[in-house]
Amino acid sequence: MNRRAQYAFMVLMIGSIASFQGVVGDARAQVLNMTCSSQNENNRTLFVPNFISLMETISDLMRQFGFGTAVSGSGPDANYGLAQCYGDLSLLDCPLCYAEARTVLPQCYPYNGGRVFLDGCFMRSANYSFYDEYLGPTDMVLCGNASHKGSNFQASARQAVSHAVASALGNRGYGKASVAVSGTNETAHVLVDCWRSLNQSSCQACFDNASAAMLRCLPWSEGRALYTGCFMRYSNIDFINKEPSNGISRGTIIIIVISAVSSLVVLAVIVAIGVYIRKRRYIQKKRGSNDAEKWVKVLRDSNLNFKYSTVEKATGSFNEANKLGQGGFGTVYKGALPDGREIAVKRLFYNNRHRAADFYNEVNIISSVEHKNLVRLLGCSCSGPESLLIYEFLPNKSLDHFIFDPSRGKELTWEKRYQIIIGTVEGLVYLHENPTNKIIHRDIKASNILLDLKFRAKIADFGLARSFEEDKSHISTAIAGTLGYMAPEYLANGQLTDKADVYSFGVLLLEIITGKQNNRSKDTDYSDSIIAVVSFRQSLFL
Ligand SMILES: *[C@@H]1O[C@H](CO)[C@@H](O)[C@H](O)[C@H]1NC(C)=O
Ligand SMILES: *[C@@H]1O[C@H](CO)[C@@H](O)[C@H](O)[C@H]1NC(C)=O
Ligand SMILES: *[C@@H]1O[C@H](CO)[C@@H](O)[C@H](O)[C@H]1NC(C)=O
Ligand SMILES: *[C@@H]1O[C@H](CO)[C@@H](O)[C@H](O)[C@H]1NC(C)=O
Ligand SMILES: *[C@@H]1O[C@H](CO)[C@@H](O)[C@H](O)[C@H]1NC(C)=O
Ligand SMILES: *[C@@H]1O[C@H](CO)[C@@H](O)[C@H](O)[C@H]1NC(C)=O
Ligand SMILES: *[C@@H]1O[C@H](CO)[C@@H](O)[C@H](O)[C@H]1NC(C)=O
C-alpha cells in the first residue's frame, strides 16, 4: 500500500468527507444523567470480563438494530444489559451515541450496574433481569430553563405529547409529533420512546406516568422524562432527526469544490508529506504476537517495573493538584521521582488483574515502539494494587491547549504548526509501517498530541491502539475512539484499518489550520463543527 498516495488522497478527499458527514444526523450523544446501582459487584474477577463482553455483544446489535439486550455470566455474577437508540437516530448515528454510553457507564464500577440516559440513547446494566421494569424510584424529569412560554405553546406541547404517545403504541414504542403554536411561528416538538423489551401495557403505563410528570415542566420551553422504561422530550427546538433508518436519507449532500485558499495550504502539506515519505527508509517484516502472561513476567523482571510506593510518593498520593487530565481509560497525574526526573503517571480505572488485557496491550505496544514522535514509556507498576503507566513528562501539555485557545494559539506560529503536522505524520507512518506489527492508534486527536519544550509533536495514549499482522487487511473490533474523529466507515461496519487513523488525522489537520474544534458531542450547534465550516467556506466558492 502506498502511504504517500493514501495521505494525499486523504487531504484531497477532505471535501467528500465533509459531505459524508453532512449525511449523518445528530447523534445527540450528550449525557443527561447517570445513576449507579448501590451494590458492589459480587466477584471482581468475574465482573469485569463479563461486563466487557456484554458491551461487545450489545455493540453488534446496536449497529444492526439500534437496540440490544444481552446476558453474560450467571447467578449472582450475571450481567444483564440493555441499550437502545431513540427511534429517530439512523443506524450510522446510533453507534456514535452508544460509543459514548459505553465509555460513560463503566464509571459506575465497582458498583454492579447502572443506567445512563443520553439525549439520543439509553443504556442500563444490572445483575438481574430488569427488561420488564417500567417505573422505579430513580425516575426523574429534567426541565430546561432557557425561556418561559405562553399558554398557546403549552397547549401545543400537550397536544404533541398525546399525538406522539398514540403513534408510538403502534410503532414499537417510538413516536414523534410536531404541533404548530397558533399565533406564533413556533412549533412544539415531541419525541417519545419506550424500550423495545416492554409489552404494550407496560409501555403505556410508562408513557402515562412520564408524560404527566414531564408536562409539569411547562411553561418552560423544554422538558425531558428519564424513566425506567421510557424516555420522552418536548422542546421548542426542532431536535428530531428527519427520516431515520438508513442514514443516507438525511437530505442535502453538500457539493464541494476545494477552495483556492485551502488548496494552497493542502498542497503545501502534500508536498511536505511527499518529500518526507520519499526520504523515509523502508523497513519491513512481521513477527508473531505476544500475550499478556508473558509480558507480566518480562515486565516484573525488567527495569520497566516501578514500585507502587515510589509512584505514589512521586505524585503526592495522587493529589488532585497534580492531576493533568482525564481520559476514557484513566486519570493522568504529574509526578517527580527522587532523582528529580519529572514523570506523567496514568492511573487506569480498573484494578490491574481485571484490565490486564488493555493494560498489557498498551505496555506491549508502546514498549515495542520507539520513535521521536511517540511519547516514551518509562515503565509501569504492574504488581501493586492498581495499574499505573509511567511516561516521560512533556511540559507543554497537549496540542488542544494551544490551538483552541485564542491567546495561547498565538504562540503557535505557522512554522510550529507545520512542524507539529509533520511530526504527527512521522509518528503515524512509523506506527502504520511498524516492522513487527502494524499498529493502529484509533484515537488520534488534539488532546493526544503532546508537545515537548521545543513544540515537537509526540503521539500519546495507546490505550485503544490495536496491532495486527501486516497481511491482514483489517480487523474487526469493538468501536472505540472519540466522537468527531472516527471514520464514518469504521463506525458503520466496525472494520478497523489504518485509514481510520488517516481520517482522524484529517480532522486534526483541519483543526490545526483553522483553530476550531470538531467535536460534535460538545457542540450544541452543528454549524460549529469544523467539518461543516469547511463545507460552508467551500460552498462560498461555488
Ligand atoms: C442524576 O440525577 C440525580 C438525581 O437528580 C442527581 O443526584 C445526579 O447528580 C445526576 N447525575 C448526573 C451525572 O447528572
Ligand atoms: C471469583 O471467581 C473466581 C472464578 O470463578 C474464583 O476463582 C474466585 O475464588 C472468586 N472470588 C471470590 C471472592 O469469590
Ligand atoms: C446482585 O448483586 C448483589 C450484590 O453483590 C447480590 O446481593 C444479589 O443477590 C445479586 N442479585 C442477583 C439476582 O443475583
Ligand atoms: C406486560 O408485562 C408486565 C410486566 O412483565 C406484566 O405484568 C403484564 O401482565 C404484561 N401484560 C400483558 C398484556 O402481557
Ligand atoms: C439555567 O440553570 C442553570 C443551572 O442552574 C444556570 O446556570 C443558568 O443560568 C440558567 N439559565 C437561565 C436562562 O435561567
Ligand atoms: C419568528 O422566528 C424568528 C426566529 O426564528 C424570530 O426572530 C421572530 O421574532 C419570530 N416571529 C414571530 C412573529 O414570532
Ligand atoms: C406514577 O407512578 C407513581 C409510582 O411509581 C405513582 O405514585 C403515580 O400515581 C403515577 N402517576 C401517574 C400519573 O400514573
Side-chain angles (χ1 to χ4, degrees), residues 16 20 44 49 77 93 108 119 141 143 187 205 210 231 252 273 278 301 320 345 361 371 382 387 421 456 524 535:
S16 10
F20 192 89
R44 292 186 168 208
D77 297 307
D93 289 322
C108 278
D119 227 356
V141 156
C143 299
T187 308
F231 170 86
T252 50
I273 293 172
R278 189 173 299 170
D301 301 338
E320 273 294 301
V345 177
N361 178 48
H371 188 269
C382 314
S387 305
I421 291 168
R456 279 180 301 221
T524 44
S535 24

Side-chain angles (χ1 to χ4, degrees), residues 49-304:
N50 273 352
F51 187 69
I52 290 172
S53 89
L54 182 78
M55 292 199 296
E56 301 289 294
T57 312
I58 293 181
S59 181
D60 289 339
L61 296 169
M62 293 297 271
R63 262 184 273 138
Q64 289 176 59
F65 310 110
F67 166 77
T69 61
V71 187
S72 65
S74 59
D77 297 307
N79 235 312
Y80 290 78
L82 176 151
Q84 180 167 331
C85 284
Y86 308 145
D88 66 320
L89 256 62
S90 72
L91 290 180
L92 282 181
D93 289 322
C94 183
L96 277 170
C97 192
Y98 177 70
E100 188 73 6
R102 64 174 282 175
T103 47
V104 172
L105 197 61
Q107 288 170 17
C108 278
Y109 181 84
Y111 293 116
N112 66 3
R115 53 187 105 176
V116 56
F117 283 89
L118 289 86
D119 227 356
C121 61
F122 168 78
M123 180 175 189
R124 177 175 178 189
S125 80
N127 71 344
Y128 67 97
S129 172
F130 56 84
Y131 300 141
D132 55 10
E133 290 183 4
Y134 53 93
L135 291 177
T138 61
D139 292 347
M140 73 179 85
V141 156
L142 297 176
C143 299
N145 63 351
S147 60
H148 265 127
K149 293 290 166 193
S151 56
N152 284 350
F153 179 85
Q154 298 182 35
S156 295
R158 287 174 203 284
Q159 215 180 350
V161 168
S162 58
H163 286 339
V165 166
S167 77
L169 293 172
N171 185 28
R172 289 200 300 184
Y174 163 62
K176 61 173 180 174
S178 297
V179 174
V181 179
S182 61
T184 73
N185 59 5
E186 280 206 308
T187 308
H189 302 278
V190 171
L191 177 151
V192 304
D193 212 339
C194 73
W195 314 151
R196 293 191 214 161
S197 59
L198 295 177
N199 63 25
Q200 183 126 342
S201 54
S202 303
C203 192
Q204 174 86 60
C206 188
F207 281 154
D208 286 350
N209 204 307
S211 57
M214 179 181 77
L215 287 170
R216 277 182 230 122
C217 283
L218 289 170
W220 288 116
S221 58
E222 178 94 57
R224 292 176 177 89
L226 317 184
Y227 268 56
T228 305
C230 59
F231 170 86
M232 58 176 68
R233 173 180 179 187
Y234 77 83
S235 178
N236 62 333
I237 300 164
D238 186 4
F239 63 93
I240 302 171
N241 287 311
K242 309 286 175 281
E243 294 303 309
S245 84
N246 74 11
I248 304 301
S249 53
R250 193 186 186 241
T252 50
I253 293 178
I254 312 154
I255 303 163
I256 293 124
V257 173
I258 301 223
S259 72
V261 177
S262 42
S263 297
L264 281 181
V265 177
V266 158
L267 207 69
V269 174
I270 295 174
V271 169
I273 293 172
V275 167
Y276 158 71
I277 284 167
R278 189 173 299 170
K279 263 167 50 186
R280 236 189 129 267
R281 294 175 279 128
Y282 248 56
I283 339 156
Q284 251 158 11
K285 252 10 313 163
K286 54 199 172 200
R287 229 178 41 210
S289 59
N290 301 292
D291 68 334
E293 286 294 314
K294 195 173 98 198
W295 271 94
V296 178
K297 279 206 191 72
V298 171
L299 284 167
R300 282 217 181 112
D301 301 338
S302 77
N303 57 0
L304 280 175

Side-chain angles (χ1 to χ4, degrees), residues 350-368:
Y350 289 101
N351 177 306
N352 59 357
R353 281 210 316 259
H354 308 122
R355 276 304 278 269
D358 271 317
F359 181 67
Y360 290 111
N361 178 48
E362 174 149 6
V363 175
N364 183 359
I365 288 179
I366 200 172
S367 62
S368 70

